[in-house]
Amino acid sequence: MTQIDQSSSLIGGEVAYEYDDKRPYRNKPHPTANAFFRHFDKLLSIPDSNENGKKLSQSDENQRIRKSSQMTASDRIVSQLGWRNRYAQLEYYPVTVNNITFTVRQLQPNDNDNFDGPDFGKNANNCGTGATIWPASLVLVKYLEKMGKSKLENKTVLDLGSGTAITSMAAALLGAKLVLCTDGNSAVVNLAISNVQHFCNKKHSKDEVLKVREYLWGDGDDKILEENSFNPYDIILVSDCVLPKLFPMDTLVDSIKTMSGPHSVTYLSYEDRYYPEYNAKERFMELANEKGLEVRIVRKEEMDETYQCSDIEIWEVSW
């Protein structure tokens, strides 16, 4: 049976969360949206829960996956719209990895509510894009899950530009022995700390396994390497950080090279966006090649059957 956070409930396709406070979700889905999502569920022929509101058994979840692989092209478009938008406006976003559902707090741009807890006092505008769960992060999380625990078990993981820490928490659930969650924005780091503390309080991981640090690419490399006894990290995660208008791409590639080794693998999710100056994907490939790094674009067949779409890719970067 899927384990559910006691702080959340999933009933009839609608979600209410209470993580750390007594408020329900701030932006309740519109009835039209709920109707759309119910249709999305019917595409897979399996509801989110049975008539008693209990989560499905693993065999039912496996059936859902089989149904997903049989969808038509139009059904798959509806499916993509479903997972990309269903919980986008929720303050506490539900994520399921390795049969465990947990919640991740996110803040929307122009959200004027302050963070809870000591030393927060900053609103979402201070977080840039880092306080939101973007589709590319879900694609990466579900790719890691499909690869299975054997890829991450007992491995050291560095998450660059982690934002809410969603990918870091997924890596911890998949058996990593050390996950260092990093971001260069201090307000985002505070949000990640809050999410990780809640995650650990639910016994999904331990403080000594899942750590959060502030790290601006290229600044303070030794401190990040020291967390892993100055050894290269086995796995590096980068989710939706190839954004030339917001982040320097050359320092991202430099950090990947500095923190990795001959046996390391970087898994990077990339959402294709238009930039008038140059092609961001091609530029990343050029910079990686200059550093002696190879980039493989993961085939769609290797990715999760549902959590994939034409504008998001997974790249595997290695020496």
Side-chain angles (χ1 to χ4, degrees):
M1 297 293 288
T2 302
Q3 300 178 43
I4 303 293
D5 261 2
Q6 294 302 312
S7 60
S8 64
S9 60
L10 286 79
I11 301 175
E14 295 189 10
V15 186
Y17 288 93
E18 296 182 348
Y19 154 25
D20 286 348
D21 64 12
K22 300 303 179 183
R23 293 174 298 176
Y25 50 78
R26 180 179 295 118
N27 301 306
K28 188 172 183 178
H30 190 277
T32 302
N34 279 330
F36 174 86
F37 295 135
R38 283 195 293 272
H39 175 66
F40 166 56
D41 291 334
K42 288 179 181 178
L43 288 178
L44 302 182
S45 302
I46 303 289
D48 274 341
S49 58
N50 62 26
E51 294 178 356
N52 297 320
K54 295 181 178 180
K55 288 299 290 182
L56 300 172
S57 67
Q58 184 57 43
S59 61
D60 285 334
E61 293 290 353
N62 291 338
Q63 185 179 351
R64 178 190 287 273
I65 292 172
R66 288 195 297 272
K67 290 290 184 180
S68 173
S69 65
Q70 298 168 6
M71 287 193 295
T72 65
S74 59
D75 285 345
R76 194 167 295 282
I77 292 173
V78 173
S79 168
Q80 292 169 10
L81 289 173
W83 67 257
R84 288 182 82 138
N85 297 286
R86 185 170 201 163
Y87 304 124
Q89 298 301 313
L90 293 189
E91 184 175 4
Y92 301 111
Y93 200 111
V95 184
T96 300
V97 176
N98 204 28
N99 295 322
I100 295 175
T101 298
F102 58 97
T103 57
V104 184
R105 189 180 187 192
Q106 64 171 351
L107 297 174
Q108 302 297 333
N110 302 315
D111 184 346
N112 291 319
D113 280 8
N114 287 339
F115 290 121
D116 299 321
D119 302 323
F120 278 23
K122 294 177 179 286
N123 63 37
N125 291 321
N126 296 102
C127 294
T129 60
T132 302
I133 295 176
W134 298 98
S137 64
L138 295 172
V139 172
L140 180 57
V141 164
K142 287 300 181 178
Y143 175 65
L144 296 175
E145 181 183 41
K146 184 172 181 180
M147 286 197 302
K149 293 188 69 171
S150 61
K151 291 289 186 179
L152 284 93
E153 198 161 28
N154 294 320
K155 298 295 176 60
T156 57
V157 177
L158 173 63
D159 195 350
L160 297 175
S162 63
T164 62
I166 179 176
T167 46
S168 294
M169 292 184 282
L173 282 177
L174 292 168
K177 67 179 181 181
L178 170 66
V179 182
L180 192 65
C181 170
T182 69
D183 201 281
N185 183 312
S186 59
V188 173
V189 169
N190 284 333
L191 177 61
I193 289 172
S194 177
N195 280 328
V196 166
Q197 287 176 343
H198 179 70
F199 185 78
C200 292
N201 288 342
K202 292 295 177 180
K203 309 301 182 184
H204 297 321
S205 186
K206 298 179 180 179
D207 294 339
E208 59 267 27
V209 172
L210 185 52
K211 305 177 181 180
V212 183
R213 299 288 185 268
E214 184 172 346
Y215 170 57
L216 193 64
W217 304 331
D219 184 8
D221 292 348
D222 286 346
K223 291 182 179 179
I224 300 303
L225 287 168
E226 186 178 6
E227 296 283 354
N228 193 32
S229 302
F230 293 98
N231 294 313
Y233 286 86
D234 297 318
I235 293 174
I236 298 175
L237 303 177
V238 185
S239 175
D240 207 2
C241 288
V242 180
L243 297 165
K245 290 184 179 180
L246 300 177
F247 310 124
M249 204 185 307
D250 54 344
T251 56
L252 171 59
V253 175
D254 287 344
S255 292
I256 291 173
K257 178 70 174 185
T258 300
M259 301 299 166
S260 63
H263 303 292
S264 305
V265 180
T266 297
Y267 297 108
L268 183 152
S269 62
Y270 165 77
E271 181 171 345
D272 187 33
R273 299 179 177 92
Y274 172 72
Y275 298 102
E277 292 84 3
Y278 55 85
N279 183 297
K281 177 178 176 178
E282 292 178 357
R283 181 55 180 155
F284 182 92
M285 302 294 182
E286 292 171 0
L287 290 169
N289 183 63
E290 291 173 6
K291 292 293 181 179
L293 298 171
E294 296 183 0
V295 182
R296 180 181 79 89
I297 300 175
V298 173
R299 295 178 295 110
K300 296 297 184 183
E301 293 80 7
E302 300 175 60
M303 298 165 64
D304 182 270
E305 292 84 354
T306 300
Y307 287 81
Q308 59 171 268
C309 44
S310 59
D311 61 333
I312 297 178
E313 296 179 342
I314 301 290
W315 301 344
E316 189 177 280
V317 185
S318 59
W319 282 32

